């Protein structure tokens, strides 16, 4: 496997405009980290001042519910006898995976369970704000879990130490209305808005709205001071008038306020009746997750017996010097398929969008390519690993009631990982952008496809 400075790369966790993120292990101590790698070819596309600013902010942070910086700097990336200098950021790894992957695969949290994690989230957010730091990109992808099911806030690429901001950064779906309008805004007050979105998704297992704009069919009711209509629509979609407690509704409405100066403060949240409701113990949370994992394994076994999707695939696409269009590439920019190395499955790193197969890596690779090229023309084959990133646009359904699940593109990464000391591989999918619940539907389709074309098994 490739090495980067003092770390051995184990598997890819994601890709972004700045480069790639890997699960890596320190060669001497065996400590695992999430390693962001910015390669030389990416330097001209990345503002290194912003990267260094992120590192400086991370150096100030020490909190149990925030991912910790381990080290950062230039180092040598070595693979297959080649070596070049890259810039790396090593971060504490949250081995429990993404909180919302778990929710999307196993169902919404009760208000009590959501309260448990929201307490941790608010502790971390208050800590940041007391240090004069706003996160400015609070979203589902940035809420992780450690091995003991403690929440971790991650990704400080857009963090700010300014009292007033005007740059429109973050993810549009999660931006507060004042940011979308291009106004000057307080990053800390915008963070409160993001906190409301995260709490709502924990309990509802869906988005509250598409964007915080007055044209949005859901948010317009908040913006026009008609929260009763907002909740009427959400209660209707749940089919249960008692699904949301009145205290929950009141808290969320206060967090979503259109006018940032009317939004609840952290101290007001702490004194709110909902926040001070029953709080499960850590043992109760562990039992909740154990039960959900058992239910998930049963569901995966059930899916294995369903009729698989059938597809045709031209294997000539995979021959020697074939080239494939990458996401965002122009017609002239293509990348040759090179010899690949197998990444390693790590059972200590949890990902809920995965399944296993006893087929050979080449058969699995052929099937993965067949699946991806069959659903989209926007994909990129890794030249180094058995890995593909893809972008899929969900087709709109005529008359679809759920206005929160539109044709938003989903960008995801699929890895084929070798399970150590066993004759099987793990097919592992990670969403990089887009609606997580739409992605879960896409993952189930991927697994069903493999069930018909390779020896897919649940465990």
């Amino acid at each position: 496997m490739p090495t980067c400075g003092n770390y051995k790369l184990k598997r890819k966790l994601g890709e972004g405009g700045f480069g790639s993120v890997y699960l890596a292990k320190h060669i001497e101590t065996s400590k695992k980290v999430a390693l962001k790698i910015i390669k030389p070819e990416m330097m001209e596309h990345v503002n290194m001042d912003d990267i260094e600013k992120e590192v400086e902010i991370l150096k100030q942070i020490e909190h149990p519910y925030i991912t910790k910086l381990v080290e950062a700097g230039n180092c040598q990336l070595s693979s297959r006898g080649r070596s070049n200098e890259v810039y790396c950021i090593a971060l504490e790894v949250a081995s429990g995976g993404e909180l919302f992957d778990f929710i999307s695969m196993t169902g919404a949290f009760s208000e009590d369970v959501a309260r448990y994690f929201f307490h941790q989230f608010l502790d971390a957010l208050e800590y940041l704000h007391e240090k004069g730091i706003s996160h400015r990109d609070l979203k589902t992808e940035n809420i992780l879990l450690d091995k003991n099911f403690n929440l971790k806030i991650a990704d400080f690429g857009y963090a700010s130490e300014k009292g007033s901001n005007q740059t429109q950064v973050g993810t549009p779906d999660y931006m507060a209305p004042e940011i979308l309008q291009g106004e000057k805004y307080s990053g800390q007050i915008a963070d409160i808005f993001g906190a409301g979105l995260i709490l709502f998704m924990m309990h509802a297992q869906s988005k509250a709205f598409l964007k915080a704009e007055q044209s949005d069919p859901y948010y317009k009711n908040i913006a026009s001071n008609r929260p009763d209509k907002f909740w009427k629509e959400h209660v209707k979609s749940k089919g249960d008038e008692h699904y949301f407690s009145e205290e929950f509704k009141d808290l969320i409405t206060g967090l979503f306020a259109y006018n940032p100066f009317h939004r609840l403060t952290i101290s007001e949240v702490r004194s709110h009746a909902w926040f001070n409701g029953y709080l499960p113990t850590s043992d109760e949370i562990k039992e909740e997750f154990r039960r959900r994992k058992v239910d998930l394994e049963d569901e995966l076994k059930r899916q294995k017996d369903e009729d698989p999707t059938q597809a045709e695939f031209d294997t000539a696409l995979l021959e020697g010097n074939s080239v494939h269009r990458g996401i965002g590439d122009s017609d002239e920019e293509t990348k040759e398929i090179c010899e690949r190395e197998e990444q390693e499955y790590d059972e200590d790193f949890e990902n809920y969008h995965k399944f296993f197969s006893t087929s050979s890596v080449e058969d699995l690779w052929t099937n993965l390519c067949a699946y991806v090229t069959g659903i989209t023309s926007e994909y990129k084959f890794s030249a180094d690993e058995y890995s593909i990133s893809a972008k899929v646009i969900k087709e709109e359904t005529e008359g679809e009631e759920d206005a929160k699940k539109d044709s938003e593109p989903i960008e995801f990464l699929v890895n084929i990982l070798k399970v150590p000391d066993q004759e099987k591989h793990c097919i592992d999918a990670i969403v990089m952008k887009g609606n997580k619940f739409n992605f879960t539907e896409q993952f189930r389709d991927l697994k069903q496809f493999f069930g018909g074309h390779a020896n897919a098994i649940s465990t």
Side-chain angles (χ1 to χ4, degrees), residues 34-211:
L35 197 65
K36 292 185 178 182
I37 301 176
I38 305 171
K39 297 180 181 179
E41 60 266 27
M42 295 304 301
M43 295 294 187
E44 60 185 80
H45 305 292
V46 175
N47 187 331
M48 289 305 296
D49 288 340
D50 289 343
I51 299 294
E52 291 170 1
K53 175 186 168 187
E54 176 186 359
V55 170
E56 288 305 311
I57 287 177
L58 286 168
K59 286 179 179 178
Q60 304 175 42
I61 298 172
E62 182 77 31
H63 192 276
Y65 304 138
I66 300 174
T67 54
K68 184 189 304 183
L69 174 71
V70 178
E71 60 178 311
N74 294 315
C75 59
Q76 292 295 315
L77 175 63
S78 302
S79 177
R80 301 175 188 158
R82 301 189 305 270
S83 181
N84 61 317
E85 188 173 271
V86 297
Y87 187 86
C88 292
I89 303 176
L91 297 159
E92 172 190 18
V93 66
S95 58
E98 292 186 14
L99 176 65
F100 284 88
D101 279 348
F102 193 73
I103 292 174
S104 66
M105 289 295 288
T106 68
F109 287 160
S110 68
E111 290 192 17
D112 289 346
V113 173
R115 186 181 296 112
Y116 177 90
F117 289 109
F118 193 64
H119 269 240
Q120 293 187 347
F121 178 89
L122 204 69
D123 285 350
L125 193 61
E126 185 173 46
Y127 168 84
L128 291 173
H129 290 183
E130 287 177 347
K131 294 183 74 66
I133 299 169
S134 56
H135 188 283
R136 297 201 301 164
D137 195 24
L138 293 172
K139 58 183 180 180
T140 58
E141 292 86 343
N142 294 336
I143 306 300
L144 310 177
L145 293 170
D146 67 14
K147 63 181 180 180
N148 295 316
F149 307 114
N150 291 310
L151 176 147
K152 297 277 187 177
I153 297 178
D155 200 342
F156 284 74
Y158 293 132
S160 172
E161 295 178 280
K162 296 179 180 179
S164 177
N165 299 271
Q166 194 160 12
T167 49
Q168 200 175 55
V169 300
T171 305
D173 306 17
Y174 297 87
M175 286 181 182
E178 61 269 24
I179 302 178
L180 291 170
Q181 292 168 12
E183 301 173 356
K184 285 187 177 181
Y185 63 93
S186 161
Q188 295 190 5
I189 297 178
D191 282 350
I192 293 293
F193 188 88
L197 286 166
I198 288 167
L199 175 57
F200 183 93
M201 291 183 71
M202 279 195 226
H203 181 47
Q205 200 194 13
S206 66
K207 288 186 173 182
F209 39 77
L210 287 178
K211 282 187 182 179

Side-chain angles (χ1 to χ4, degrees), residues 400-416:
E400 186 174 8
E401 293 183 1
D402 190 355
K404 304 179 296 303
K405 293 175 68 176
D406 68 341
S407 56
E408 176 188 9
I410 305 167
E411 293 186 25
F412 59 93
L413 175 73
V414 183
N415 296 307
I416 300 175

